Amino acid sequence: MPTLAKQLGYSSIVVGTMYTILAVIGMLTKPLVGFLSDRYQRHRMLFISCEILTGLAFFLITFTPGVQKPLPVVELHHESTTTVRYCSSDNCISTNLKNHFQNQTLTCKLHCQIEPFIWNDMCKECFQIKPENCNRSSEYVDLIRDINMNDIGMDQLTDGKTCMIFTVIQPADDLEALESTDCLDNSTYFNTTCELNCNNEYLHSQLAESPVISNSDAVSLYQFWWFFGMLTISWIGMAAVVSIGDAICFAILGERGHLYGKQRLYGSVGWGIFSILAGILVDSMSTDTEKDYTAVFWMTAIIMALDVLASIKLKHTQTHLSPNILKDVGQMFLSMRCVIFFIWCVFIGLGTALIWNFLFWHLENLSSCQDSMKTLQGFVMAIQCFCGELPFFFSSGWILKKIGHINAMSLVLFGFGVRFILYSMLQDPWYVLPIELLNGVTFGLFYATMASYASIVAPPGTETTMQGLVGAIFEGIGVSTGSFVGGLLFDSVGGGHTFEIFGVSFFIAFIVHFCIQKYLQRHQSADTDGKQSSEQNSKDSINHINNPNSATRLTKDIAPTDTVDKIQNDDNNSNKIFTSLPNKC
């Protein structure tokens, strides 16, 4: 979707803002749908309904009307010879034009802005302007010139841009005009801005300004609102499907919740297979001017229809019903470990947004000379899934048992830092493929940790609400903020520096998270040891009072039951999950 939005002409700021709003909508949708599912026990019905809504809305995006793109702006330059100049930071344009046009010559119209002093030169015989069009009071002049598309000169500017210099060919039947004394001499110099119209779609697409649509004009276009509206509806449906689907999965697994990763990995299998297929189809069906995503939208409609048929066969009934869902879930915010878990979800959302919305944008900016860019992006997603997510989802239960949820959270932060720094060092987009192996840590291990932790700490009967709340925090706060900040940084400092800033930030977050968790672990261990010692002393005193001559016996816990914490140890107490409220995290 972000690369399609870029092709439609929207800037990174507009795309970042759209995904900020979409993430907030997802934040509101997930807990609301989760609450309704738990309250009215309609998980399956809502799940299937939202699948249909998602598929339909995504398919309708294919009917987004195109926006009329403005003509490219060039410079008409004369200094001994007349040339047309176009400057851009994209060094691949000249190569693309030479390969496409080879030895062709295009007849183009130039609509040029004219300063009064230039009219003296423009009205000379060799410029072939009709006398009636030689209006010295006008600010514009129209010229028709032949341009050689094979003979393209290059001029490197100090700001990093490259200017392409096209030679203007004088028609053969006007040689007499060239020999006329009423023509330009070698001392004549002028430079003016012109709109170039060569009636060639490929040339216009290569020379078009990016973004085509200004940030202020975007919201006034009905094409924008159709695109954004369909995205919004699909996002609502998708947010509900994800949160309800995870809750249904954990309910079916029951006591075998550690096997969640082995269920979720099949999503990665489907994602990987169809990403490669979609990338190849888009590249093979596209023209020279732009990518054709029609095949992707038809694939979406068909696959979602099959998904609905599979979901109809699901048999799910929730056995627990919380009498006060909001109160039970609200108590999660009273635990320090839960609050840290929620903040961790926000930070992971920041990084995930940058990858979801701007990684492909960054790859396309690195080299627009790549004709097989969509195929490359398909392989990127395939490696993310098959070589990254798949093994980590499969082994997530074993990993969490070995290192614990807390250490897994720290590992995910460190993985994001490494991944972003490597992105910032990219020069050739194909070198991104080995970096995508880290997706196993940054998404596979992350998602299994987040979903598993949320399922463990959720009070009985609030499982779907809790999954929705965690998803809302991750997406509504983390992804939305990451989309907005990422869009601003991409526009101001570029992709490489944006990934570098995020990489350093995640390394800092890793250190802070690791230190805080170690402090809490030691502090909690000391409190637990002190509590157990105090309880034992109290019991010994009671037993001694009741029977001074008898040995100490354990009779019953005299500590209030609502202050007793049951602790589940992970890997020699490296990770403690408290299973009573309010300290359940």
Side-chain angles (χ1 to χ4, degrees), residues 322 324-335 338 456-460 462 466 560-566 577-585:
S322 172
N324 197 330
I325 296 174
L326 296 179
K327 180 180 178 181
D328 288 346
V329 173
Q331 291 187 74
M332 298 289 100
F333 292 92
L334 301 179
S335 168
C338 276
I456 291 171
V457 303
T462 67
M466 190 62 184
T561 57
D562 58 349
T563 62
V564 178
D565 290 327
K566 178 183 177 183
I577 301 176
F578 298 88
T579 57
S580 65
L581 294 173
N583 293 319
K584 197 168 184 181
C585 285

Side-chain angles (χ1 to χ4, degrees), residues 115 378 410 471:
E115 295 292 336
S410 297

Side-chain angles (χ1 to χ4, degrees), residues 103-318:
N103 293 321
Q104 292 186 41
T105 298
L106 297 181
T107 300
C108 304
K109 295 180 180 179
L110 292 160
H111 181 66
C112 303
Q113 187 174 5
I114 297 295
E115 295 292 336
F117 70 89
I118 300 179
W119 276 113
N120 293 329
D121 296 321
M122 284 289 180
C123 291
K124 290 185 177 180
E125 184 178 349
C126 60
F127 256 92
Q128 308 162 37
I129 299 178
K130 295 180 179 180
E132 59 269 22
N133 293 333
C134 196
N135 184 359
R136 296 175 181 269
S137 62
S138 175
E139 296 181 355
Y140 295 93
V141 64
D142 292 319
L143 304 172
I144 299 178
R145 290 292 183 270
D146 291 336
I147 297 177
N148 187 348
M149 301 306 300
N150 185 50
D151 183 18
I152 302 177
M154 306 296 292
D155 184 16
Q156 190 70 39
L157 302 182
T158 56
D159 60 358
K161 290 187 176 182
T162 301
C163 288
M164 290 168 286
I165 304 172
F166 303 89
T167 303
V168 175
I169 302 174
Q170 193 74 23
D173 56 354
D174 289 309
L175 290 178
E176 293 183 1
L178 286 176
E179 297 173 355
S180 170
T181 56
D182 187 25
C183 196
L184 304 178
D185 55 39
N186 292 335
S187 63
T188 304
Y189 171 86
F190 65 80
N191 189 70
T192 186
T193 303
C194 308
E195 286 185 349
L196 180 70
N197 184 3
C198 300
N199 291 321
N200 187 285
E201 188 177 355
Y202 182 81
L203 177 65
H204 292 173
S205 67
Q206 290 291 310
L207 302 186
E209 292 292 328
S210 181
V212 174
I213 304 169
S214 66
N215 298 334
S216 58
D217 291 341
V219 294
S220 63
L221 299 173
Y222 75 92
Q223 295 96 329
F224 168 81
W225 289 110
W226 174 269
F227 179 70
F228 183 51
M230 292 301 103
L231 266 183
T232 302
I233 296 172
S234 64
W235 209 267
I236 291 173
M238 188 166 54
V241 167
V242 170
S243 58
I244 299 176
D246 284 342
I248 291 176
C249 181
F250 278 107
I252 294 175
L253 289 172
E255 297 297 326
R256 300 170 298 166
H258 62 282
L259 297 178
Y260 168 79
K262 293 185 178 180
Q263 315 305 312
R264 178 61 179 78
L265 65 85
Y266 288 100
S268 298
V269 172
W271 194 297
I273 292 174
F274 286 102
S275 294
I276 296 176
L277 181 59
I280 294 174
L281 283 175
V282 169
D283 276 335
S284 62
M285 297 178 64
S286 298
T287 63
D288 290 333
T289 55
E290 60 183 23
K291 297 296 182 182
D292 185 353
Y293 293 95
T294 304
V296 175
F297 292 110
W298 278 103
M299 285 171 60
T300 302
I302 295 171
I303 294 168
M304 288 302 295
L306 296 174
D307 204 17
V308 170
L309 293 177
S311 300
I312 292 175
K313 301 295 183 180
L314 276 176
K315 295 181 180 180
H316 164 69
T317 55
Q318 184 167 342

Side-chain angles (χ1 to χ4, degrees), residues 38-89:
D38 285 333
R39 180 67 180 84
Y40 297 104
Q41 300 293 285
R42 293 291 183 267
H43 299 80
R44 186 166 167 272
M45 183 195 73
L46 283 171
F47 184 64
I48 296 174
S49 300
C50 290
E51 283 180 326
I52 296 173
L53 184 67
T54 301
L56 182 62
F58 267 129
F59 178 71
L60 291 176
I61 292 176
T62 192
F63 299 105
T64 302
V67 178
Q68 183 65 38
K69 298 180 180 180
L71 294 172
V73 177
V74 298
E75 292 180 356
L76 182 65
H77 182 84
H78 181 86
E79 188 174 7
S80 72
T81 59
T82 305
T83 58
V84 170
R85 301 165 63 94
Y86 176 80
C87 300
S88 172
S89 56

